[in-house]
Amino acid sequence: MNKLAIIHTTAVTIPLLKELASEILPGCTLLHWLDDSILPQLREGDEAAVQTVANKWSTYARYAEEAGAECILSACSSVGDIAERAAGTVSVPVVRIDDAMADLAVSRGRRIGVAATLETTMRPTLNLLHRKAADQQDSIQLIPLVVSEAYAKLMGGDQRGHDELLAEQIQQLAQQCDVVVLAQASMSRVISALPEEIESRLLTSPRLGMERLKQLYFT
């Protein structure tokens, strides 16, 4: 039986990824690590805080490997760069949840909207998209949007308020873009609140990330 370790920075992503894994990777054993102190530390923005987070993440990755995980999924885009560096500390694959989404976004258009509810997520996501475009020798224009008020509502338990505010802002962003990526896995819940013509231009990471795992490591 396969084992997949998932490292989370918020409890919001746990039920979402459990459900997707049950559908896409049936029979796979999931090992979850949650550290909700990571995002507050990243918001401090200084080098010492980032290094502390990097050390933590590498430790969780090693724990996961020792527990028998055949692959490690980073569920948080804010630590995407950190997860990539931590891959060198373990012998099993480490996958960013947003990696497949970034590949698809670059292939779909030149004007790419990047929506986030956390400022800490924006830079790693922009870096990833630029790198993917360079790999494909494409030129892209990135249009960032951070809706921090929506994240505050979600953390306060106001899921409806989160969805309504985010949906309103995403609709405006989508009018300027060929495609819009929702930078955080927790944002995928807002899709049902958007018109179909907008939904068709949105990309979210959870399903794409889980499908890539199946394709690469769990076939």
Side-chain angles (χ1 to χ4, degrees):
M1 183 175 290
N2 301 125
K3 285 186 180 181
L4 169 65
I6 308 178
I7 301 177
H8 306 263
T9 60
T10 171
V12 172
T13 54
I14 294 177
L16 170 63
L17 294 180
K18 278 185 176 180
E19 182 178 351
L20 282 172
S22 177
E23 173 193 342
I24 297 170
L25 302 174
C28 183
T29 299
L30 301 184
L31 308 173
H32 295 275
W33 273 265
L34 167 64
D35 187 340
D36 58 8
S37 72
I38 284 177
L39 291 178
Q41 283 182 304
L42 287 179
R43 286 194 210 104
E44 294 175 17
D46 60 82
E47 187 174 338
V50 172
Q51 186 57 52
T52 297
V53 169
N55 292 340
K56 282 185 179 182
W57 212 98
S58 294
T59 298
Y60 298 140
R62 289 193 294 271
Y63 286 159
E65 182 178 29
E66 290 169 4
E70 297 167 63
C71 186
I72 300 169
L73 176 65
S74 172
C76 176
S77 297
S78 290
V79 296
D81 294 343
I82 288 170
E84 287 186 350
R85 293 195 296 271
T89 67
V90 292
S91 60
V92 297
V94 174
V95 177
R96 293 177 60 152
I97 196 169
D98 53 356
D99 193 71
M101 178 180 68
D103 280 328
L104 188 55
V106 170
S107 72
R108 282 197 176 178
R110 297 295 174 264
R111 290 173 58 84
I112 302 173
V114 184
T117 60
L118 279 171
E119 187 65 48
T120 55
T121 307
M122 187 56 69
R123 180 176 293 179
T125 304
L126 296 180
N127 289 344
L128 179 61
L129 288 164
H130 278 303
R131 193 172 77 230
K132 295 292 187 181
D135 289 344
Q136 298 184 26
Q137 297 184 330
D138 285 333
S139 60
I140 57 173
Q141 178 184 0
L142 300 179
I143 305 172
L145 169 70
V146 178
V147 190
S148 54
E149 300 93 335
Y151 183 79
K153 287 181 180 293
L154 185 62
M155 292 300 100
D158 184 4
Q159 296 182 348
R160 181 176 178 179
H162 165 273
D163 295 354
E164 290 177 349
L165 178 57
L166 193 53
E168 177 185 348
Q169 294 294 313
I170 288 173
Q171 286 190 70
Q172 295 178 28
L173 177 62
Q175 302 305 320
Q176 311 169 51
C177 306
D178 301 316
V179 61
V180 174
V181 301
L182 305 187
Q184 292 145 236
S186 61
M187 298 170 69
S188 62
R189 54 174 294 114
V190 80
I191 286 183
S192 61
L194 290 162
E196 187 175 340
E197 64 271 18
I198 299 295
E199 182 181 338
S200 65
R201 280 185 278 157
L202 298 184
L203 294 176
T204 61
S205 61
R207 179 172 292 276
L208 291 169
M210 199 66 71
E211 288 174 346
R212 172 160 289 183
L213 282 175
K214 179 179 180 179
Q215 177 187 15
L216 294 178
Y217 305 112
F218 293 95
T219 54

